[in-house]
Amino acid sequence: MSLALTAYRLLTRMLEPLAPRLLDARAKQGKEDPRRVDERLGVAGAARPPGDLVWLHGVSVGETLSLLPVVERFKKSRPDLTVLVTSGTVTSAELLAQRLPPGVIHQFAPVDAPGAVAAFLDHWRPALGVFVESELWPNLIVAAKARGVPLALVSARITEKTAEGWARFPGAARTVISAFDRILPQDIVSADRI
């Protein structure tokens, strides 16, 4: 693991005890669902059904809505499969509550801190993880990969600003990007940046 990723992991581990207070403050501002804030700490809000589970992750409304056809496809081709969709915003959760088919589970994504990520992965034990667009949380991605979860980044979009940020930490960028078994870029510009 690169020095930058090691430092990031240590920093997020040290700051993790502050996460509950930060999340409570965000809930008071309407930026978190106060009834489900524990999900952001990796505490599951639902039981994990037996069998294989595929995990689809998008951050906000656009990304999560783009997952709906993928959810439908999984449900039709593999009705025995449990589908878990994670997102990071209250608005996306509200829309998904209205639009997800019966039996599909929604959870808020854990904050990118080692304890929350470990609790999330320990509970859900995904057989596959699919991330949409540019949601690259290092602890979550590296921990899932370390557990042997095959990962895909679909409709990958990397802005110039994001690419410049990652370019300052090439070892970290290489580790995070190489954790994905499959990357499907949105366009040629994103493909070149990746």
Side-chain angles (χ1 to χ4, degrees), residues 4-5 8 13-14 21 65-66 76 81 87 89 94 117 122 128-129 141 159 167 171 173-174 182 186 192-193:
L5 274 182
Y8 176 80
R13 183 177 300 283
M14 288 185 332
R21 265 191 273 171
L65 289 181
S66 73
K76 282 183 183 172
L81 190 68
S87 66
T89 67
E94 290 168 352
V117 165
D122 285 347
L128 170 69
I141 292 165
T159 65
R174 208 171 5 265
R182 178 82 48 167
Q186 240 181 49
D192 290 342
R193 288 176 181 148

Side-chain angles (χ1 to χ4, degrees), residues 2-190:
S2 75
L3 183 59
L5 274 182
T6 301
Y8 176 80
R9 184 172 176 81
L10 288 172
L11 181 63
T12 54
R13 183 177 300 283
M14 288 185 332
L15 295 174
E16 192 165 10
L18 302 175
R21 265 191 273 171
L22 175 65
L23 290 168
D24 287 342
R26 286 177 50 83
K28 288 175 184 166
Q29 298 169 354
K31 295 179 180 179
E32 299 287 343
D33 182 337
R35 296 163 299 159
R36 298 178 65 187
V37 78
D38 284 351
E39 291 174 24
R40 303 284 276 142
L41 300 171
V43 178
R48 186 203 190 280
D52 287 337
L53 180 142
V54 64
W55 163 38
L56 308 175
H57 176 67
V59 179
S60 58
V61 173
E63 293 93 345
T64 51
L65 289 181
S66 73
L67 288 171
L68 291 176
V70 179
V71 169
E72 291 291 341
R73 184 75 181 254
F74 273 121
K75 292 306 283 179
K76 282 183 183 172
S77 65
R78 289 280 312 272
D80 60 311
L81 190 68
T82 297
V83 178
L84 169 68
V85 178
T86 57
S87 66
T89 67
V90 173
T91 307
S92 64
E94 290 168 352
L95 282 170
L96 288 171
Q98 298 168 11
R99 297 189 182 185
L100 284 175
V104 175
I105 301 167
H106 172 267
Q107 293 282 276
F108 282 101
V111 296
D112 198 43
V117 165
F120 173 85
L121 293 171
D122 285 347
H123 179 79
W124 294 108
R125 302 179 320 277
L128 170 69
V130 179
F131 290 65
V132 178
E133 290 195 17
S134 57
E135 187 59 13
L136 302 177
W137 293 106
N139 286 326
L140 186 59
I141 292 165
V142 172
K145 186 64 176 178
R147 291 167 183 248
V149 179
L151 299 173
L153 178 60
V154 299
S155 194
R157 180 178 55 84
I158 304 294
T159 65
E160 185 175 350
K161 183 178 178 180
T162 300
E164 288 170 1
W166 280 104
R168 293 185 320 206
F169 307 102
R174 208 171 5 265
T175 300
V176 171
I177 294 296
S178 68
F180 289 99
D181 299 281
R182 178 82 48 167
I183 298 176
L184 304 172
Q186 240 181 49
D187 52 42
I188 292 174
V189 174
S190 287

